Coordinates of all heavy atoms in Angstrom, one line a residue:
I47 N 51.4 54.0 -2.1 CA 50.6 52.9 -2.4 C 49.1 53.3 -2.7 O 48.8 54.5 -2.4 CB 50.4 51.8 -1.1 CG1 49.9 52.5 0.0 CG2 51.8 51.2 -0.9 CD1 49.5 51.5 1.2
S48 N 48.3 52.6 -3.3 CA 47.0 53.0 -3.8 C 46.0 53.0 -2.6 O 46.3 52.5 -1.5 CB 46.5 52.0 -4.8 OG 46.1 50.7 -4.2
E49 N 44.9 53.8 -2.8 CA 44.0 53.9 -1.7 C 43.3 52.5 -1.4 O 43.1 52.2 -0.4 CB 42.8 54.8 -2.1 CG 43.2 56.3 -2.0 CD 42.1 57.2 -2.2 OE1 41.0 56.9 -1.7 OE2 42.4 58.2 -3.1
E50 N 43.2 51.7 -2.4 CA 42.7 50.3 -2.3 C 43.7 49.4 -1.5 O 43.2 48.7 -0.5 CB 42.5 49.7 -3.7 CG 41.9 48.3 -3.5 CD 41.7 47.7 -5.0 OE1 41.9 48.3 -6.0 OE2 41.5 46.4 -5.0
T51 N 44.9 49.6 -1.8 CA 45.8 48.8 -1.0 C 45.9 49.3 0.5 O 45.9 48.5 1.4 CB 47.2 48.9 -1.5 OG1 47.2 48.3 -2.8 CG2 48.3 48.2 -0.8
S52 N 45.8 50.5 0.8 CA 45.7 51.1 2.1 C 44.5 50.6 2.8 O 44.6 50.2 4.0 CB 45.6 52.7 2.0 OG 45.5 53.2 3.3
L53 N 43.3 50.5 2.3 CA 42.0 50.0 2.9 C 42.4 48.5 3.2 O 42.0 48.0 4.3 CB 40.9 50.2 2.0 CG 39.7 49.5 2.5 CD1 39.2 50.1 3.9 CD2 38.5 49.7 1.4
K54 N 42.9 47.8 2.3 CA 43.3 46.5 2.6 C 44.2 46.2 3.8 O 43.9 45.4 4.6 CB 43.8 45.6 1.4 CG 42.8 45.5 0.3 CD 43.3 44.8 -1.0 CE 42.3 44.5 -2.0 NZ 43.0 44.1 -3.3
M55 N 45.1 47.0 3.9 CA 46.1 47.0 5.0 C 45.4 47.4 6.3 O 45.7 46.7 7.4 CB 47.2 48.0 4.7 CG 48.2 47.4 3.5 SD 48.8 45.7 3.8 CE 49.8 46.1 5.3
R56 N 44.5 48.4 6.3 CA 43.9 48.8 7.4 C 42.9 47.6 7.9 O 42.9 47.3 9.1 CB 42.9 50.0 7.2 CG 43.8 51.2 7.1 CD 42.9 52.5 7.3 NE 41.7 52.6 6.8 CZ 41.4 53.0 5.4 NH1 42.5 53.4 4.8 NH2 40.2 53.1 5.1
R57 N 42.3 46.9 7.0 CA 41.6 45.8 7.4 C 42.4 44.7 7.9 O 42.0 44.0 9.0 CB 40.9 45.2 6.2 CG 39.6 46.1 5.7 CD 38.9 45.5 4.5 NE 37.7 46.3 4.2 CZ 37.4 46.2 3.0 NH1 37.7 45.6 2.0 NH2 36.1 47.1 2.8
L58 N 43.6 44.3 7.4 CA 44.5 43.4 7.9 C 44.9 43.7 9.2 O 45.1 42.9 10.2 CB 45.6 43.2 6.9 CG 45.2 42.4 5.7 CD1 46.3 42.3 4.7 CD2 44.7 40.9 6.0
M59 N 45.4 45.1 9.5 CA 45.9 45.5 10.7 C 44.7 45.5 11.9 O 45.0 45.2 13.0 CB 46.4 46.9 10.7 CG 47.7 46.9 9.8 SD 48.3 48.6 9.6 CE 48.8 49.3 11.2
R60 N 43.5 45.7 11.4 CA 42.4 45.6 12.4 C 42.2 44.1 12.8 O 42.0 43.8 13.9 CB 41.0 46.1 11.8 CG 39.9 46.0 12.6 CD 39.9 46.8 13.8 NE 38.8 46.6 14.7 CZ 38.8 46.4 16.0 NH1 40.0 46.6 16.7 NH2 37.7 46.3 16.7
L61 N 42.3 43.2 11.8 CA 42.3 41.8 12.1 C 43.3 41.3 13.1 O 43.0 40.4 13.9 CB 42.5 41.0 10.7 CG 42.0 39.6 10.6 CD1 40.4 39.4 11.1 CD2 42.3 39.0 9.4
V62 N 44.5 41.9 13.1 CA 45.5 41.7 14.0 C 45.1 41.9 15.4 O 45.4 41.0 16.4 CB 46.8 42.3 13.7 CG1 47.8 42.2 14.9 CG2 47.5 41.9 12.3
V63 N 44.5 43.0 15.7 CA 43.9 43.3 16.9 C 42.7 42.6 17.3 O 42.4 42.2 18.6 CB 43.7 44.9 17.0 CG1 43.1 45.2 18.5 CG2 45.0 45.6 16.9
K64 N 41.8 42.3 16.3 CA 40.5 41.8 16.8 C 40.7 40.3 17.0 O 40.1 39.6 17.8 CB 39.6 42.0 15.6 CG 38.1 41.5 15.9 CD 37.5 42.3 16.9 CE 36.0 41.8 17.2 NZ 35.4 42.5 18.3
H65 N 41.5 39.5 16.1 CA 41.5 38.1 16.2 C 43.0 37.6 16.2 O 43.1 36.4 16.1 CB 40.8 37.5 14.9 CG 39.3 37.9 14.8 ND1 38.5 37.4 15.8 CD2 38.8 38.8 14.1 CE1 37.2 37.8 15.5 NE2 37.4 38.7 14.5
G66 N 43.9 38.4 16.3 CA 45.4 37.9 16.0 C 46.2 38.2 17.3 O 45.8 38.3 18.4
T67 N 47.5 38.4 16.9 CA 48.5 38.5 17.9 C 48.5 39.8 18.7 O 49.1 39.9 19.8 CB 50.0 38.3 17.4 OG1 50.0 39.2 16.3 CG2 50.3 36.9 16.8
G68 N 47.8 40.7 18.2 CA 47.7 42.1 18.9 C 46.4 42.3 19.6 O 46.0 43.4 19.9
R69 N 45.8 41.3 20.1 CA 44.6 41.4 20.9 C 44.6 42.3 22.1 O 43.7 42.9 22.6 CB 44.0 39.9 21.3 CG 43.4 39.2 20.1 CD 43.0 37.8 20.5 NE 42.6 37.0 19.4 CZ 42.3 35.7 19.5 NH1 42.6 35.1 20.6 NH2 42.1 35.2 18.3
N70 N 45.9 42.2 22.7 CA 46.1 42.8 24.0 C 46.2 44.4 23.7 O 46.2 45.1 24.7 CB 47.3 42.6 24.7 CG 47.2 40.9 25.2 OD1 46.1 40.7 25.7 ND2 48.3 40.2 25.1
A71 N 46.0 44.8 22.5 CA 45.9 46.3 22.2 C 44.6 46.8 22.0 O 44.3 48.0 21.9 CB 46.8 46.6 21.0
A72 N 43.6 45.9 22.1 CA 42.1 46.3 22.0 C 41.9 47.3 23.1 O 42.3 47.2 24.3 CB 41.2 45.0 22.1
A73 N 41.1 48.3 22.6 CA 40.6 49.5 23.6 C 39.2 49.5 23.3 O 38.7 49.9 22.2 CB 41.3 50.7 23.2
P74 N 38.4 49.0 24.2 CA 36.8 49.0 24.2 C 36.4 50.3 23.7 O 36.6 51.4 24.1 CB 36.4 48.6 25.5 CG 37.5 47.9 26.0 CD 38.7 48.6 25.6
G75 N 35.6 50.3 22.6 CA 35.0 51.5 22.0 C 35.8 52.2 20.8 O 35.3 53.1 20.2
Y76 N 37.1 51.7 20.8 CA 37.9 52.4 19.8 C 38.5 51.3 18.8 O 38.8 50.3 19.1 CB 39.1 53.1 20.4 CG 38.6 54.2 21.3 CD1 38.6 53.9 22.7 CD2 38.2 55.4 20.8 CE1 38.0 54.9 23.6 CE2 37.6 56.4 21.7 CZ 37.6 56.1 23.1 OH 37.1 57.1 23.9
V77 N 38.5 51.7 17.4 CA 38.7 50.8 16.4 C 40.2 50.9 16.3 O 40.8 51.7 15.5 CB 38.0 51.1 15.2 CG1 38.3 50.0 14.1 CG2 36.5 51.1 15.5
V78 N 41.0 49.9 16.8 CA 42.5 49.9 16.8 C 42.9 48.8 15.9 O 42.3 47.8 15.9 CB 43.0 49.7 18.2 CG1 44.6 49.7 18.2 CG2 42.4 50.7 19.2
G79 N 43.9 49.1 15.1 CA 44.6 48.2 14.4 C 46.0 48.3 14.4 O 46.6 49.4 14.7
G80 N 46.8 47.1 14.2 CA 48.2 47.2 14.3 C 48.9 46.1 13.9 O 48.4 45.1 13.3
K81 N 50.2 46.0 14.3 CA 51.2 44.9 14.0 C 52.1 44.7 15.1 O 52.7 45.6 15.6 CB 52.0 45.3 12.6 CG 53.0 44.3 12.1 CD 52.3 43.1 11.8 CE 53.3 42.0 11.3 NZ 53.7 41.0 12.3
T82 N 52.2 43.5 15.4 CA 53.3 43.2 16.4 C 54.7 42.9 15.8 O 54.8 42.7 14.6 CB 52.9 41.7 17.2 OG1 52.8 40.8 16.2 CG2 51.7 41.9 17.9
G83 N 55.7 43.1 16.8 CA 57.0 42.9 16.2 C 57.9 42.3 17.4 O 57.8 42.9 18.5
T84 N 58.7 41.3 17.2 CA 59.6 40.8 18.1 C 60.9 40.4 17.3 O 60.8 39.7 16.4 CB 59.0 39.5 18.9 OG1 57.7 39.8 19.3 CG2 59.8 39.0 20.0
A85 N 62.0 40.9 17.8 CA 63.2 40.6 17.3 C 64.3 40.3 18.3 O 64.3 40.9 19.3 CB 63.7 42.0 16.5
E86 N 65.2 39.4 17.9 CA 66.4 39.1 18.9 C 67.5 40.2 18.6 O 67.6 40.5 17.5 CB 66.8 37.7 18.5 CG 65.9 36.7 19.0 CD 66.3 35.3 18.5 OE1 67.3 35.1 17.7 OE2 65.8 34.2 19.0
K87 N 68.0 40.6 19.7 CA 69.1 41.6 19.4 C 70.4 40.9 19.0 O 70.6 39.8 19.2 CB 69.4 42.3 20.9 CG 68.2 43.1 21.4 CD 68.4 43.7 22.7 CE 69.4 44.7 22.7 NZ 69.5 45.5 24.0
V88 N 71.1 41.7 18.2 CA 72.4 41.2 17.6 C 73.4 41.2 18.6 O 73.5 42.1 19.6 CB 72.8 42.3 16.5 CG1 74.1 41.8 15.9 CG2 71.7 42.3 15.4
S89 N 74.3 40.2 18.6 CA 75.3 40.0 19.6 C 76.6 39.3 18.6 O 76.4 38.1 18.4 CB 75.0 39.1 20.7 OG 76.1 38.9 21.5
G90 N 77.5 40.1 18.5 CA 78.6 39.6 17.8 C 78.3 39.3 16.3 O 77.7 40.0 15.6
R91 N 78.3 38.0 16.0 CA 78.0 37.5 14.7 C 76.7 36.8 14.6 O 76.4 36.0 13.7 CB 79.1 36.6 14.1 CG 80.4 37.3 13.9 CD 81.4 36.4 13.3 NE 82.6 37.2 12.9 CZ 83.4 37.0 11.8 NH1 83.0 36.0 11.0 NH2 84.5 37.6 11.7
G92 N 76.0 36.8 15.7 CA 74.7 36.2 15.9 C 73.6 37.0 16.5 O 73.7 38.1 16.6

């Protein structure tokens, strides 16, 4: 991906920790960014 896209993604990942679903990953004094994930486990055909 381009450097520009990488910067945009870093900004979005930072936003997830600062104001979104990843707030619980905040580490005071450190600039953390990330992405949450939750998936139901497969069981048979569902």
Side-chain angles (χ1 to χ4, degrees):
I47 61 173
S48 70
E49 286 187 48
E50 180 183 351
T51 299
S52 176
L53 176 59
K54 288 177 181 177
M55 292 302 297
R56 287 198 320 267
R57 288 177 173 161
L58 290 171
M59 290 172 71
R60 177 64 184 143
L61 196 61
V62 168
V63 173
K64 187 69 179 172
H65 300 285
T67 56
R69 289 181 185 163
N70 291 322
Y76 299 100
V77 186
V78 180
K81 177 69 180 94
T82 57
T84 306
E86 294 174 343
K87 293 175 77 172
V88 174
S89 174
R91 293 182 178 215

